[in-house]
């Protein structure tokens, strides 16, 4: 028989586990389907599981390791009665009530679980270069978040890969700490907005490496540089640096909901302004799956709290 729950939370990063803490304390016995550790795109615990030192999360004056922080989230949620399953959701049906959630075979006639309220916290992943040893170097010189890790590269020579607004924003931010920031771009012109280009061109700490792609990483256990290749001449060379920031975009975890929930043009879930409610009553989106601007653990956690409170109030009205 299909398992019926009041609340199911899909995803277990800061947003999902905060939602679990709040709904569990409200005696809603949430079920958290956290994903499977088969790839970085479906990582239980979210992207912080791939992060080393986290120094900007309030309450930890000496910093905390990303995996330790997420384990604390998890234990706190379980302490209040949240059930966490390490499984991957293969399908959801938001056209029926209760909502259907499938684990395993998405073509099965009956869903594995049903939920009166659904909180989506499937996050967003940074688009990477897909080079050897990439995952192992994240947090060891390789990063996707300047505001998270820029402080660690004070007075060092680093680089940013990308050519859009995000890449230039990262480069400008990093120039506060680094002695030099090199922007590596595969074309001979930027696609960023003019105001962002002007800021970068006028920044004496930012230099540009045009028509160039990164083809490999140097260093054993810690990034020491990159292999680069000029796309026009084919010339390959080594480029020494102590930090590399990849800023070529993000991919929200929204494939399950295409055609069922309203989305922004960039694929992120759309919610009611100032809230977490989606265009389907009883479905709430929290964290980076709907946030294409802040992308911080603390904002994701706050969003998870909002989603939990909205789900609780929705269920109260539903049961009344």
């Amino acid at each position: 028989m299909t398992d019926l729950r009041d609340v199911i939370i899909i995803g277990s990063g800061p947003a999902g586990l905060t939602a679990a803490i709040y709904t569990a304390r409200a005696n809603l016995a949430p079920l958290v389907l956290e994903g499977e550790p088969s790839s970085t795109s479906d990582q239980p615990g979210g992207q912080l599981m791939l992060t080393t030192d986290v120094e900007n999360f309030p309450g930890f004056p000496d910093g905390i390791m990303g995996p330790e922080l997420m384990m604390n989230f998890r234990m706190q949620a379980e302490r209040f009665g949240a059930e966490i399953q390490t499984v991957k959701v293969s399908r959801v049906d938001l056209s029926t009530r209760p909502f259907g959630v499938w684990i395993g075979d998405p073509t099965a006639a009956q869903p594995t679980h049903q939920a009166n309220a659904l909180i989506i916290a499937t996050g967003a992943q940074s688009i990477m270069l897909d080079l050897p040893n990439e995952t192992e170097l994240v947090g060891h010189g390789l990063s996707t978040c300047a505001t998270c890790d820029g402080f660690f590269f004070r007075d060092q020579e680093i680089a940013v890969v990308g050519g859009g607004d995000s890449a230039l924003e990262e480069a400008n931010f990093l120039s506060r700490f680094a002695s030099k920031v090199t922007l590596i771009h595969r074309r001979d012109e930027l696609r960023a907005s003019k105001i962002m280009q002007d800021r970068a061109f006028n920044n004496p700490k930012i230099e540009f490496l045009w028509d160039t792609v990164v083809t490999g990483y140097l260093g054993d256990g810690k990034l020491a540089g990159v292999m680069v290749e000029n796309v026009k001449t084919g010339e390959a060379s080594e480029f020494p640096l102590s930090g590399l920031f990849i800023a070529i975009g993000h991919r929200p975890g929204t494939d399950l909901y295409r055609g069922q929930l309203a989305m922004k043009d960039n694929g992120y879930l759309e919610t009611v302004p100032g809230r977490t409610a989606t265009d389907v009553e009883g479905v709430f989106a929290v964290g980076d799956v709907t946030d294409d601007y802040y992308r911080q653990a603390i904002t994701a956690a706050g969003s998870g709290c909002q989603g939990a409170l909205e789900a609780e109030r929705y269920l109260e009205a539903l049961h009344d």
Side-chain angles (χ1 to χ4, degrees), residues 236-272:
S237 60
E238 294 185 1
F239 191 84
L241 46 76
S242 56
L244 181 71
F245 289 77
I246 300 175
I248 56 176
H250 292 78
R251 183 181 297 111
T254 54
D255 289 346
L256 284 172
Y257 322 111
R258 293 193 183 280
Q260 301 193 71
L261 291 175
M263 295 185 184
K264 305 173 188 177
D265 291 340
N266 58 7
Y268 287 77
L269 293 182
E270 194 166 351
T271 59
V272 174

Side-chain angles (χ1 to χ4, degrees), residues 61-286:
D62 297 321
I64 186 171
M65 299 293 282
E68 182 184 358
L69 177 60
M70 294 320 303
M71 185 55 66
N72 289 346
F73 271 70
R74 182 189 179 101
M75 290 190 297
Q76 192 171 358
E78 290 180 319
R79 173 192 167 199
F80 293 117
E83 179 185 349
I84 301 176
Q85 295 183 9
T86 308
V87 294
K88 183 174 182 176
V89 175
S90 57
R91 176 187 165 196
V92 296
D93 184 356
L94 308 182
S95 65
T96 62
R97 296 178 188 274
F99 306 116
V101 179
W102 278 256
I103 306 297
D105 183 7
T107 65
Q110 296 297 322
T112 313
H113 305 284
Q114 288 182 312
N116 290 319
L118 192 64
I119 299 177
I120 297 170
T122 42
Q125 294 76 42
S126 298
I127 299 173
M128 304 296 282
L129 301 179
D130 292 328
L131 297 173
N133 303 322
E134 193 164 64
T135 302
E136 292 79 5
L137 288 170
V138 172
H140 300 279
L142 186 63
S143 176
T144 59
C145 179
T147 54
C148 307
D149 299 329
F151 178 82
F152 299 115
F153 296 91
R154 188 175 296 276
D155 299 324
Q156 299 180 40
E157 294 190 4
I158 60 179
V160 175
V161 178
D165 279 354
S166 294
L168 268 61
E169 186 176 351
E170 299 263 280
N172 273 300
F173 178 84
L174 291 166
S175 69
R176 304 178 190 178
F177 307 99
S179 59
K180 183 175 75 171
V181 180
T182 300
L183 192 83
I184 302 174
H185 188 42
R186 64 182 304 121
R187 299 180 178 86
D188 58 4
E189 61 181 6
L190 300 170
R191 49 188 171 82
S193 59
K194 187 177 187 305
I195 187 170
M196 292 302 298
Q197 292 192 44
D198 289 344
R199 288 176 185 171
F201 289 139
N202 292 325
N203 189 324
K205 283 190 175 182
I206 297 179
E207 298 183 0
F208 297 85
L209 191 59
W210 302 107
D211 300 318
T212 300
V213 293
V214 175
T215 58
Y217 300 117
L218 303 173
D220 184 13
K222 183 176 177 58
L223 188 70
V226 292
M227 290 292 300
V228 296
E229 180 180 310
N230 186 290
V231 297
K232 292 184 175 178
T233 66
E235 180 183 356
S237 60
E238 294 185 1
F239 191 84
L241 46 76
S242 56
L244 181 71
F245 289 77
I246 300 175
I248 56 176
H250 292 78
R251 183 181 297 111
T254 54
D255 289 346
L256 284 172
Y257 322 111
R258 293 193 183 280
Q260 301 193 71
L261 291 175
M263 295 185 184
K264 305 173 188 177
D265 291 340
N266 58 7
Y268 287 77
L269 293 182
E270 194 166 351
T271 59
V272 174
R275 294 181 53 201
T276 66
T278 67
D279 62 329
V280 173
E281 190 177 16
V283 179
F284 307 90
V286 299

